[in-house]
Amino acid sequence: LYLYLITIRVIRKNIRFEPLWLVGVLITICCSYLAPFLMKFSISQNFVDWFIIEDFALAFEQYLDRGWLLDYPTGLIDGIRILLVEYNSLFLFIALVLECLGIFLFFNWRYSIGIIVLFIILNTNIYLLSAILFWKWIVSNILIIYYLYVTKPEIKIKTKHMIAIVLSCVLCSHFIPFFPKLGWYTIPYKVDYLLEVTDVNGETKNIKGKDMAPFDMYFAFNRWDVLNKNQANTSILDPKEVILLNSMSIEQVKDDVKLRGVNKYNPKKEKILSLFLNEYFTNYNKVGYKKKPILSPPAHIQSNKKNHFKFDNPVRNVKIVAKEFFYENHSEKKVNHHVLKTIYIK
């Protein structure tokens, strides 16, 4: 709609398209970061105290347990833990401030470059602490920085127009689904899903998501709630409920999870994943576990070129396992395992 309106304006009034295009791009960048800020604002108990209630140190522990993080050495992980526990609210407050800086993108190209650099730093730190990579945002930001640095455009916007632009950013960020509403609270309960493979010799191995090349991204972030008939909703937006949960013991959290349980089970999606895994490991059994000649031609997943399986024998069955984590004060943790599905390989 915005591109249509500015195109009509260019045609009818013979105005250069470039400044209008640039404002449109800056509005998009602004909304992409302002939307998460507004979401956190909306779920705060007193409007702006999300950064006080949210426990990112607990979220970091959950990322570790789910195997999302990079292969950091133990010493570095312990150092990060200490920093997050000591300065949790400060780091989250800085992140909130950075997310709302987008409304200042429209004053000067130098300011715009500085703010977008801060956005890249924010995305990079999110990746380093959670392994969630907003690579499309980073690449787009780098391209816009290059454009601004090379062209050095003059962004001349009148005060009344600036007010209209900022107001549009706020409304678009909050109401248009296109912009991500990244705001939630971490609770002391999490479910992870993993694959257990048993080979023909009866040996069982756990498979990490990164082993499942070329589908490693999907399996690393295995959001398979639809496979779990007893899955509980792990996203709570009410700060009072979060505060209450964080004060509970592990046994109390278990009871609360049963009360809040939401059945997201979808047999169609379970069937699709089962068929895929059957085909994947059937291909592996045919040629994947065999050693390849150095000069052999490239193949698809059967070549096992990027897989890192720690077994050399054909696969007999694959189990999809739900792994429940219960936390108390970061120091105590309990883990439960449930086999959701067993797939027998041909």
Side-chain angles (χ1 to χ4, degrees):
L1 177 61
Y2 181 81
L3 289 176
Y4 170 78
L5 292 175
I6 62 175
T7 303
I8 293 299
R9 187 177 180 187
V10 169
I11 294 174
R12 292 183 178 179
K13 296 189 177 182
N14 194 28
I15 301 175
R16 288 181 61 205
F17 180 79
E18 182 184 18
L20 298 174
W21 168 85
L22 179 58
V23 171
V25 171
L26 294 179
I27 287 177
T28 302
I29 295 175
C30 174
C31 292
S32 297
Y33 290 90
L34 194 60
F37 169 81
L38 293 175
M39 182 63 186
K40 297 177 181 73
F41 180 84
S42 67
I43 65 175
S44 294
Q45 187 172 10
N46 297 306
F47 297 107
V48 293
D49 58 356
W50 172 86
F51 68 94
I52 298 175
I53 299 173
E54 167 61 1
D55 189 348
F56 190 73
L58 176 59
F60 180 76
E61 291 294 333
Q62 293 178 356
Y63 296 142
L64 281 173
D65 290 332
R66 300 184 72 176
W68 284 12
L69 290 183
L70 308 177
D71 296 327
Y72 294 141
T74 304
L76 178 58
I77 291 176
D78 292 339
I80 294 174
R81 278 197 183 104
I82 295 173
L83 283 176
L84 291 179
V85 170
E86 291 292 329
Y87 302 103
N88 176 75
S89 296
L90 175 61
F91 290 152
L92 294 179
F93 176 75
I94 293 172
L96 274 182
V97 172
L98 293 178
E99 286 178 343
C100 68
L101 287 181
I103 59 177
F104 301 103
L105 284 170
F106 311 98
F107 292 97
N108 182 284
W109 68 269
R110 291 184 177 86
Y111 295 163
S112 299
I113 289 178
I115 291 171
I116 296 174
V117 167
L118 291 176
F119 286 161
I120 293 175
I121 294 174
L122 174 64
N123 291 138
T124 303
N125 279 281
I126 291 174
Y127 172 65
L128 294 176
L129 294 176
S130 68
I132 301 174
L133 180 59
F134 294 91
W135 67 269
K136 296 178 182 178
W137 296 25
I138 294 175
V139 171
S140 300
N141 288 341
I142 291 174
L143 292 175
I144 293 301
I145 288 175
Y146 177 78
Y147 172 82
L148 291 172
Y149 181 78
V150 171
T151 62
K152 298 178 176 57
E154 293 185 13
I155 307 176
K156 295 181 179 179
I157 303 176
K158 296 181 180 179
T159 303
K160 61 180 182 180
H161 293 163
M162 181 65 71
I163 295 174
I165 288 175
V166 172
L167 183 60
S168 298
C169 288
V170 173
L171 294 175
C172 290
S173 301
H174 192 64
F175 293 106
I176 295 181
F178 173 79
F179 298 107
K181 310 298 187 292
L182 301 176
W184 57 81
Y185 289 105
T186 303
I187 62 174
Y189 167 72
K190 205 68 179 176
V191 181
D192 189 24
Y193 300 93
L194 55 90
L195 299 177
E196 289 184 356
V197 168
T198 303
D199 63 21
V200 292
N201 293 332
E203 295 186 9
T204 299
K205 301 287 186 180
N206 290 336
I207 294 181
K208 296 182 179 180
K210 63 183 180 181
D211 298 332
M212 295 291 293
F215 310 100
D216 46 339
M217 185 66 70
Y218 170 77
F219 282 92
F221 296 92
N222 44 34
R223 296 179 174 92
W224 292 343
D225 295 349
V226 293
L227 308 180
N228 194 340
K229 297 179 181 179
N230 301 312
Q231 167 68 12
N233 187 355
T234 57
S235 296
I236 295 179
L237 301 181
D238 187 344
K240 294 180 180 179
E241 294 182 10
V242 174
I243 294 173
L244 179 62
L245 273 172
N246 287 332
S247 66
M248 291 180 178
S249 66
I250 288 179
E251 295 303 319
Q252 290 174 323
V253 172
K254 283 185 177 181
D255 294 335
D256 189 83
V257 165
K258 293 178 181 178
L259 293 175
R260 300 175 188 275
V262 177
N263 191 338
K264 302 179 182 180
Y265 177 68
N266 187 322
K268 292 184 179 179
K269 293 188 177 181
E270 180 189 60
K271 182 178 179 180
I272 291 172
L273 181 60
S274 298
L275 290 172
F276 172 83
L277 290 173
N278 195 317
E279 186 68 20
Y280 188 95
F281 284 101
T282 297
N283 290 334
Y284 175 82
N285 283 348
K286 289 178 180 179
V287 291
Y289 66 92
K290 299 177 182 178
K291 293 183 179 180
K292 301 293 178 184
I294 297 177
L295 299 179
S296 61
H300 191 40
I301 60 175
Q302 301 97 315
S303 67
N304 198 23
K305 188 175 183 60
K306 293 184 179 180
N307 303 79
H308 304 285
F309 298 145
K310 296 181 180 179
F311 49 88
D312 299 320
N313 299 310
V315 175
R316 176 186 296 169
N317 64 61
V318 180
K319 294 179 181 178
I320 302 174
V321 180
K323 195 174 181 181
E324 292 182 304
F325 297 90
F326 299 89
Y327 302 87
E328 184 178 355
N329 299 325
H330 301 156
S331 57
E332 188 175 350
K333 177 174 61 180
K334 189 168 184 178
V335 183
N336 293 334
H337 292 78
H338 304 285
V339 177
L340 303 179
K341 182 79 174 181
T342 300
I343 303 160
Y344 296 94
I345 309 303
K346 301 174 184 179

